[in-house]
Amino acid sequence: FTLAEKGDAVLIPAPYYAAFENDMQAVAGCVPYAVQMENPMNGPTTNDLNAAFEKATKEGLRVKMLLLTNPNDPLGVIYMPHVIYDAVFWARERHLHTVV
């Protein structure tokens, strides 16, 4: 059982911990894909997630996972509970794994 296969994309709200890219690529063979947030201090919105998902899909990537770091590293922001809930619900609607 794995959460993603080699070449699958993982959405990660940006900015994020720099080592994620190396770990995702070198260890798991996945493609880290940055979710550009309108307001990084508030966390990812469903609009932010939709935009990244659609862009990755148009680039031919198969998105399989959403990775949330809470508190955010490097910003140190602790996401409000509704932000986590909305992101997890968004991912579940698309049958994506969520790692927090």
Side-chain angles (χ1 to χ4, degrees), residues 1 7 9 20 24 26 37 41 67 70 76 86 93 100:
F1 176 76
F20 283 160
M24 293 270 174
M37 295 184 282
M41 298 305 286
L67 174 62
N70 192 35
D86 290 348
E93 286 182 321
V100 180

Side-chain angles (χ1 to χ4, degrees), residues 6 21 30 56 68 79 91 93 99:
K6 184 176 182 177
E21 288 197 14
C30 293
L68 297 172
Y79 298 138
E93 286 182 321
V99 176

Side-chain angles (χ1 to χ4, degrees), residues 49-60:
L49 296 169
N50 278 329
F53 182 86
E54 290 172 12
K55 187 175 176 188
T57 301
K58 285 180 183 175
E59 291 177 15

Side-chain angles (χ1 to χ4, degrees), residues 6-68:
K6 184 176 182 177
D8 288 343
V10 179
L11 298 179
I12 312 171
Y16 53 81
Y17 179 57
F20 283 160
E21 288 197 14
N22 181 63
D23 293 345
M24 293 270 174
Q25 294 170 336
V27 177
C30 293
V31 178
Y33 201 88
V35 176
Q36 300 303 322
M37 295 184 282
E38 185 175 324
N39 186 341
M41 298 305 286
N42 290 336
T45 65
T46 55
N47 288 338
D48 298 333
L49 296 169
N50 278 329
F53 182 86
E54 290 172 12
K55 187 175 176 188
T57 301
K58 285 180 183 175
E59 291 177 15
L61 295 171
R62 184 176 60 191
V63 179
K64 295 290 285 192
M65 188 183 328
L66 171 63
L67 174 62
L68 297 172

Side-chain angles (χ1 to χ4, degrees), residues 64-96:
K64 295 290 285 192
M65 188 183 328
L66 171 63
L67 174 62
L68 297 172
T69 307
N70 192 35
N72 177 288
D73 183 3
L75 296 179
V77 174
I78 298 173
Y79 298 138
M80 297 295 290
H82 75 275
V83 172
I84 300 291
Y85 175 85
D86 290 348
V88 170
F89 187 79
W90 176 89
R92 289 185 78 181
E93 286 182 321
R94 286 154 188 79
H95 306 286
L96 303 178

